[in-house]
Amino acid sequence: MKTSRILATASTAMLCALVASWPAAAQEPKTGGTFKLVGAGDVASFDPASARSASLFLHRALTRTLLAFPTSADPAIAGKPVADLAAAVPEPEDGGLTYTIRMRGGAQWATEPGRQITAADAARGFKRLCNPVQPTYAPTYYVGIIGGMDEFCKGFAGVAAEVGAIRDYIEGNEIAGVTVVDDMTLKITLEKPTPDFLSILALTASAPVAVEMLDHLPNSP
């Protein structure tokens, strides 16, 4: 499973490098119109929690994550996560078991008025991963890695696939290894040292989630 995680995160980085290395057309930048994307398959899910395959191309442009793979033609650069919604790349503590993430100030949801993206939003993103409607396609990135994720997900499996029940479970329960220290600080405690955890934080599935998303079923129109 560890090997599959490394391959998956590495393939995402390679994708970024590939996109950056495509030759640019000799024309002026264009705004408006239709963006056409050619891929080997359809968009299976547009929800960040369960997005995969072709939809990851779209999320690359639309979704902000705690860390991100930089766009570069150099695989060594493209494969090393950098800070995005996190103010800085967190350093592992306690022998690789703890990561303290400080959120970037000024990053806002597109609400009226704009609202700061907080540590609680980041924690909500992890909670929503194992929802009973359409959970993440790769639970082994999180279950067995983040402390308490297994217990949280087992409890979530018994929740009705309804908006109210899902919202109540997410807002009324905590993942033991995901702690909101304050509005701008999130602490994640792992069950065991995980060398590729920074890459996991850069995946689309690890994106923060606004509370308004709980008013809808996962992956619903």
Side-chain angles (χ1 to χ4, degrees):
M1 291 182 181
K2 178 179 177 182
T3 301
S4 66
R5 285 205 312 275
I6 293 174
L7 288 174
T9 51
S11 65
T12 302
M14 290 174 65
L15 170 63
C16 298
L18 176 61
V19 171
S21 66
W22 286 341
Q27 60 186 28
E28 291 297 315
K30 177 183 177 182
T31 60
T34 301
F35 174 67
K36 296 181 180 180
L37 176 68
V38 179
D42 200 355
V43 176
S45 170
F46 197 65
D47 192 308
S50 53
R52 57 189 176 90
S53 303
S55 58
L56 293 177
F57 282 97
L58 300 175
H59 280 288
R60 173 76 175 166
L62 300 174
T63 302
R64 301 290 296 276
T65 43
L66 294 172
L67 303 183
F69 293 109
T71 299
S72 174
D74 185 343
I77 296 175
K80 186 176 182 179
V82 296
D84 188 359
L85 288 178
V89 177
E91 293 290 337
E93 307 168 67
D94 302 326
L97 292 178
T98 303
Y99 290 80
T100 301
I101 301 167
R102 183 73 179 170
M103 303 299 292
R104 182 187 299 277
Q108 298 184 326
W109 296 111
T111 52
E112 292 292 340
R115 186 177 72 246
Q116 171 70 44
I117 300 175
T118 66
D121 296 322
R124 188 179 299 111
F126 290 109
K127 291 181 182 182
R128 195 168 168 274
L129 288 173
C130 48
N131 71 80
V133 177
Q134 187 158 344
T136 178
Y137 74 96
T140 54
Y141 291 164
Y142 308 94
V143 176
I145 301 298
I146 297 176
M149 193 76 180
D150 186 36
E151 292 79 4
F152 183 87
C153 289
K154 286 179 178 176
F156 214 164
V159 172
E162 301 170 352
V163 168
I166 292 173
R167 182 196 300 113
D168 289 346
Y169 187 82
I170 289 177
E171 297 295 88
N173 294 274
E174 304 297 333
I175 302 170
V178 179
T179 304
V180 177
V181 179
D182 57 42
D183 284 350
M184 300 294 284
T185 309
L186 183 74
K187 183 172 76 173
I188 300 178
T189 303
L190 307 185
E191 293 187 4
K192 56 188 176 182
T194 305
D196 60 336
F197 188 66
L198 292 179
S199 293
I200 291 174
L201 292 179
L203 297 177
T204 299
S206 300
V209 165
V211 68
E212 288 87 351
M213 289 185 71
L214 301 186
D215 293 335
H216 310 275
L217 286 176
N219 201 42
S220 62

Coordinates of all heavy atoms in Angstrom, one line a residue, residues 133-192:
V133 N -21.9 8.5 1.1 CA -22.4 8.6 -0.3 C -21.4 8.3 -1.3 O -21.5 7.4 -2.2 CB -23.0 10.0 -0.5 CG1 -23.4 10.2 -2.0 CG2 -24.1 10.4 0.4
Q134 N -20.3 9.0 -1.4 CA -19.2 8.8 -2.3 C -17.9 9.1 -1.6 O -17.4 10.3 -1.7 CB -19.3 9.5 -3.6 CG -18.3 9.1 -4.6 CD -18.7 9.4 -6.1 OE1 -19.9 9.7 -6.3 NE2 -17.7 9.4 -7.0
P135 N -17.3 8.2 -0.9 CA -16.1 8.5 -0.2 C -14.9 8.6 -1.1 O -14.9 8.3 -2.3 CB -15.9 7.3 0.8 CG -16.6 6.2 0.0 CD -17.8 6.8 -0.7
T136 N -13.7 8.9 -0.5 CA -12.5 9.0 -1.3 C -12.2 7.7 -2.0 O -12.4 6.6 -1.4 CB -11.3 9.5 -0.4 OG1 -10.1 9.5 -1.2 CG2 -11.1 8.5 0.8
Y137 N -11.6 7.7 -3.1 CA -11.2 6.5 -3.9 C -10.0 5.8 -3.3 O -9.7 4.7 -3.6 CB -11.0 6.9 -5.4 CG -9.7 7.6 -5.6 CD1 -8.6 6.8 -6.0 CD2 -9.6 8.9 -5.5 CE1 -7.4 7.5 -6.3 CE2 -8.4 9.6 -5.7 CZ -7.3 8.8 -6.1 OH -6.1 9.5 -6.3
A138 N -9.3 6.5 -2.4 CA -8.0 6.0 -1.9 C -8.0 6.1 -0.4 O -7.2 6.9 0.1 CB -6.8 6.7 -2.5
P139 N -8.8 5.4 0.3 CA -8.9 5.6 1.8 C -7.6 5.2 2.5 O -7.3 5.7 3.6 CB -10.0 4.6 2.2 CG -10.1 3.6 1.1 CD -9.7 4.3 -0.1
T140 N -6.7 4.4 1.9 CA -5.5 4.0 2.5 C -4.5 5.1 2.6 O -3.4 5.0 3.3 CB -4.8 2.8 1.8 OG1 -4.7 3.1 0.4 CG2 -5.7 1.5 2.0
Y141 N -4.7 6.3 2.0 CA -3.9 7.4 2.1 C -4.1 8.0 3.5 O -3.3 8.8 4.0 CB -4.2 8.5 1.1 CG -3.8 8.2 -0.3 CD1 -4.4 8.9 -1.4 CD2 -2.9 7.2 -0.6 CE1 -4.0 8.7 -2.7 CE2 -2.6 6.9 -1.9 CZ -3.1 7.6 -3.0 OH -2.8 7.4 -4.3
Y142 N -5.3 7.7 4.1 CA -5.7 8.4 5.4 C -6.0 7.4 6.5 O -5.5 7.6 7.6 CB -6.9 9.2 5.1 CG -6.7 10.2 3.9 CD1 -7.2 9.8 2.7 CD2 -6.1 11.4 4.1 CE1 -7.0 10.7 1.6 CE2 -5.9 12.3 3.0 CZ -6.4 11.9 1.8 OH -6.2 12.8 0.7
V143 N -6.7 6.3 6.2 CA -7.1 5.3 7.2 C -5.8 4.5 7.5 O -5.2 4.0 6.6 CB -8.2 4.4 6.7 CG1 -8.5 3.3 7.7 CG2 -9.5 5.2 6.5
G144 N -5.5 4.4 8.8 CA -4.3 3.7 9.2 C -3.1 4.6 9.1 O -2.0 4.2 9.5
I145 N -3.2 5.8 8.7 CA -2.1 6.8 8.6 C -2.4 7.9 9.7 O -1.6 8.1 10.6 CB -2.0 7.4 7.2 CG1 -1.7 6.3 6.2 CG2 -0.9 8.4 7.2 CD1 -0.4 5.5 6.4
I146 N -3.5 8.6 9.6 CA -3.9 9.6 10.5 C -4.5 9.0 11.7 O -5.4 8.1 11.6 CB -4.9 10.6 9.9 CG1 -4.2 11.3 8.7 CG2 -5.4 11.6 10.9 CD1 -5.1 12.3 7.9
G147 N -4.1 9.3 12.9 CA -4.6 8.8 14.1 C -6.1 8.9 14.3 O -6.6 10.0 14.1
G148 N -6.8 7.9 14.6 CA -8.3 7.9 14.8 C -9.1 7.9 13.5 O -10.3 7.9 13.6
M149 N -8.5 7.9 12.4 CA -9.3 8.0 11.1 C -10.1 6.7 10.9 O -11.2 6.8 10.4 CB -8.3 8.2 9.9 CG -9.0 8.6 8.6 SD -9.5 10.3 8.7 CE -10.3 10.5 7.1
D150 N -9.5 5.6 11.3 CA -10.2 4.3 11.1 C -11.5 4.3 12.0 O -12.5 4.0 11.5 CB -9.3 3.2 11.5 CG -9.9 1.8 11.2 OD1 -10.6 1.7 10.2 OD2 -9.7 0.9 12.0
E151 N -11.4 4.7 13.2 CA -12.6 4.7 14.1 C -13.6 5.7 13.6 O -14.8 5.4 13.6 CB -12.1 5.1 15.5 CG -11.3 4.0 16.2 CD -9.8 4.1 15.8 OE1 -9.5 5.0 15.0 OE2 -9.1 3.2 16.3
F152 N -13.1 6.9 13.1 CA -14.1 7.9 12.6 C -14.8 7.4 11.4 O -16.0 7.5 11.3 CB -13.3 9.2 12.3 CG -14.2 10.3 11.8 CD1 -14.7 11.2 12.7 CD2 -14.4 10.5 10.4 CE1 -15.5 12.2 12.3 CE2 -15.2 11.5 10.0 CZ -15.8 12.4 10.9
C153 N -14.1 6.7 10.5 CA -14.7 6.2 9.3 C -15.7 5.1 9.5 O -16.7 4.9 8.9 CB -13.7 5.8 8.3 SG -12.8 7.2 7.6
K154 N -15.3 4.2 10.5 CA -16.2 3.1 10.8 C -17.6 3.6 11.4 O -18.6 3.1 11.1 CB -15.6 2.2 11.8 CG -14.5 1.3 11.3 CD -13.8 0.4 12.3 CE -12.8 -0.5 11.7 NZ -12.0 -1.3 12.7
G155 N -17.5 4.7 12.2 CA -18.7 5.3 12.7 C -19.5 6.0 11.6 O -20.7 5.9 11.5
F156 N -18.8 6.6 10.6 CA -19.5 7.3 9.5 C -20.2 6.3 8.6 O -21.2 6.6 8.0 CB -18.4 8.0 8.7 CG -18.9 9.3 8.1 CD1 -18.0 10.3 7.6 CD2 -20.3 9.6 8.0 CE1 -18.4 11.5 7.1 CE2 -20.7 10.8 7.5 CZ -19.8 11.7 7.0
A157 N -19.7 5.0 8.5 CA -20.3 4.0 7.6 C -21.7 3.7 8.0 O -22.5 3.3 7.2 CB -19.4 2.8 7.7
G158 N -22.1 3.9 9.3 CA -23.4 3.6 9.8 C -24.4 4.8 9.7 O -25.5 4.7 10.1
V159 N -23.9 5.9 9.1 CA -24.7 7.1 9.0 C -25.6 7.1 7.8 O -25.1 6.6 6.7 CB -23.8 8.4 9.1 CG1 -24.6 9.6 8.8 CG2 -23.1 8.5 10.4
A160 N -26.8 7.5 7.9 CA -27.7 7.5 6.7 C -27.1 8.5 5.6 O -26.5 9.5 5.9 CB -29.1 8.0 7.1
A161 N -27.3 8.1 4.4 CA -26.8 8.9 3.2 C -27.7 10.1 3.0 O -28.3 10.2 1.9 CB -26.6 8.0 2.0
E162 N -27.9 10.9 3.9 CA -28.8 12.1 3.9 C -28.0 13.3 4.3 O -27.1 13.2 5.2 CB -30.0 11.9 4.7 CG -30.8 10.6 4.3 CD -31.9 10.3 5.3 OE1 -31.9 11.0 6.4 OE2 -32.7 9.5 5.1
V163 N -28.4 14.5 3.8 CA -27.7 15.7 4.1 C -27.6 16.0 5.6 O -26.5 16.2 6.1 CB -28.3 16.9 3.4 CG1 -27.8 18.2 3.9 CG2 -28.1 16.8 1.9
G164 N -28.7 15.9 6.3 CA -28.8 16.2 7.7 C -27.9 15.3 8.5 O -27.2 15.7 9.4
A165 N -28.0 14.0 8.2 CA -27.3 13.0 9.0 C -25.8 13.1 8.8 O -25.0 13.0 9.7 CB -27.7 11.6 8.6
I166 N -25.4 13.4 7.6 CA -24.0 13.6 7.3 C -23.4 14.8 7.9 O -22.3 14.8 8.5 CB -23.7 13.6 5.7 CG1 -24.0 12.3 5.1 CG2 -22.3 14.1 5.4 CD1 -24.0 12.3 3.6
R167 N -24.2 15.9 7.8 CA -23.7 17.1 8.5 C -23.6 17.0 10.0 O -22.6 17.4 10.6 CB -24.7 18.3 8.2 CG -24.3 19.6 8.8 CD -25.4 20.6 8.9 NE -25.9 20.9 7.6 CZ -27.2 20.6 7.2 NH1 -28.0 20.0 8.0 NH2 -27.6 20.9 6.0
D168 N -24.6 16.3 10.6 CA -24.5 16.1 12.1 C -23.3 15.3 12.5 O -22.7 15.6 13.5 CB -25.8 15.5 12.5 CG -27.0 16.4 12.5 OD1 -26.8 17.6 12.3 OD2 -28.2 15.9 12.5
Y169 N -23.0 14.3 11.7 CA -21.9 13.4 12.1 C -20.5 14.2 11.9 O -19.7 14.1 12.8 CB -21.8 12.2 11.2 CG -20.8 11.2 11.7 CD1 -21.0 10.3 12.7 CD2 -19.5 11.1 11.1 CE1 -20.0 9.4 13.2 CE2 -18.5 10.2 11.5 CZ -18.8 9.4 12.6 OH -17.8 8.5 13.0
I170 N -20.4 14.9 10.8 CA -19.2 15.6 10.6 C -19.0 16.7 11.6 O -17.9 16.9 12.2 CB -19.1 16.2 9.2 CG1 -19.0 15.1 8.1 CG2 -18.0 17.3 9.0 CD1 -19.0 15.6 6.7
E171 N -20.0 17.5 11.9 CA -19.9 18.6 12.8 C -19.9 18.2 14.3 O -19.5 18.9 15.2 CB -21.0 19.6 12.6 CG -20.9 20.3 11.2 CD -19.7 21.1 11.0 OE1 -18.6 20.6 10.5 OE2 -19.7 22.3 11.2
G172 N -20.4 17.0 14.6 CA -20.5 16.5 15.9 C -19.5 15.5 16.4 O -19.5 15.1 17.6
N173 N -18.6 15.1 15.5 CA -17.5 14.2 15.9 C -16.2 14.7 15.4 O -16.1 15.4 14.5 CB -17.8 12.8 15.2 CG -19.1 12.2 15.8 OD1 -19.1 11.5 16.8 ND2 -20.2 12.4 15.1
E174 N -15.1 14.2 16.1 CA -13.8 14.6 15.7 C -12.9 13.4 15.4 O -13.2 12.2 15.8 CB -13.1 15.3 16.9 CG -13.9 16.5 17.4 CD -14.1 17.6 16.4 OE1 -13.2 17.7 15.5 OE2 -15.1 18.3 16.5
I175 N -11.9 13.6 14.5 CA -10.9 12.6 14.3 C -9.8 12.8 15.3 O -9.3 13.9 15.5 CB -10.3 12.8 12.9 CG1 -11.4 12.7 11.8 CG2 -9.2 11.7 12.6 CD1 -10.9 13.0 10.4
A176 N -9.5 11.8 16.1 CA -8.6 11.9 17.2 C -7.2 12.5 16.8 O -6.7 13.3 17.5 CB -8.3 10.5 17.8
G177 N -6.8 12.2 15.6 CA -5.5 12.7 15.2 C -5.5 14.1 14.4 O -4.5 14.5 13.9
V178 N -6.7 14.7 14.3 CA -6.8 16.0 13.6 C -7.3 17.0 14.7 O -8.5 16.9 15.0 CB -7.7 15.9 12.4 CG1 -7.9 17.2 11.7 CG2 -7.2 14.8 11.4
T179 N -6.5 17.9 15.1 CA -6.8 18.8 16.1 C -6.8 20.3 15.7 O -5.8 20.7 15.1 CB -5.9 18.7 17.3 OG1 -5.9 17.3 17.8 CG2 -6.3 19.6 18.5
V180 N -7.9 21.0 15.8 CA -7.9 22.4 15.5 C -7.4 23.1 16.8 O -8.1 23.3 17.8 CB -9.4 22.9 15.2 CG1 -9.4 24.4 14.9 CG2 -9.9 22.1 14.0
V181 N -6.2 23.6 16.7 CA -5.5 24.3 17.8 C -6.1 25.6 18.0 O -6.5 26.1 19.1 CB -4.0 24.4 17.6 CG1 -3.4 25.1 18.8 CG2 -3.4 23.0 17.4
D182 N -6.3 26.4 16.9 CA -7.0 27.7 16.9 C -7.5 27.9 15.5 O -7.3 27.0 14.6 CB -6.1 28.8 17.4 CG -4.8 29.0 16.7 OD1 -4.8 28.9 15.4 OD2 -3.7 29.1 17.3
D183 N -8.0 29.1 15.2 CA -8.6 29.3 13.9 C -7.6 29.1 12.8 O -8.0 28.7 11.7 CB -9.1 30.8 13.8 CG -10.4 31.0 14.6 OD1 -11.0 30.0 15.0 OD2 -10.8 32.2 14.8
M184 N -6.3 29.3 13.0 CA -5.4 29.3 11.9 C -4.3 28.2 12.1 O -3.4 28.1 11.3 CB -4.6 30.6 11.8 CG -5.6 31.8 11.6 SD -6.3 31.7 9.9 CE -5.0 32.2 8.9
T185 N -4.5 27.3 13.1 CA -3.5 26.2 13.3 C -4.2 24.8 13.4 O -5.1 24.6 14.2 CB -2.8 26.5 14.6 OG1 -2.3 27.8 14.6 CG2 -1.6 25.5 14.7
L186 N -3.7 23.9 12.6 CA -4.2 22.5 12.6 C -3.0 21.6 13.0 O -1.9 21.7 12.4 CB -4.7 22.2 11.2 CG -5.3 20.8 11.1 CD1 -6.7 20.7 11.8 CD2 -5.5 20.4 9.6
K187 N -3.3 20.7 13.9 CA -2.2 19.7 14.2 C -2.7 18.3 13.8 O -3.8 17.9 14.1 CB -1.9 19.7 15.7 CG -0.8 18.7 16.1 CD -0.4 18.9 17.5 CE -1.4 18.2 18.5 NZ -0.9 18.2 19.9
I188 N -1.9 17.6 13.1 CA -2.2 16.2 12.6 C -1.2 15.3 13.2 O 0.0 15.4 13.1 CB -2.2 16.1 11.1 CG1 -3.2 17.1 10.4 CG2 -2.5 14.7 10.6 CD1 -3.2 17.1 8.9
T189 N -1.8 14.2 13.9 CA -1.0 13.2 14.5 C -1.2 11.9 13.8 O -2.3 11.5 13.6 CB -1.4 13.0 16.0 OG1 -1.3 14.3 16.7 CG2 -0.5 12.0 16.7
L190 N -0.1 11.3 13.4 CA -0.1 10.1 12.6 C 0.0 8.8 13.5 O 0.5 8.9 14.7 CB 1.0 10.0 11.6 CG 1.1 11.2 10.7 CD1 2.2 11.0 9.6 CD2 -0.2 11.5 10.0
E191 N -0.5 7.7 13.0 CA -0.3 6.4 13.8 C 1.1 5.9 13.7 O 1.6 5.2 14.6 CB -1.3 5.4 13.2 CG -2.7 5.7 13.5 CD -3.7 4.6 13.1 OE1 -3.2 3.5 12.7 OE2 -4.9 4.8 13.2
K192 N 1.8 6.3 12.6 CA 3.2 5.8 12.4 C 3.8 6.8 11.4 O 3.2 7.5 10.7 CB 3.2 4.4 11.8 CG 2.4 4.3 10.4 CD 2.2 2.9 10.0 CE 1.3 2.9 8.7 NZ 1.1 1.5 8.2

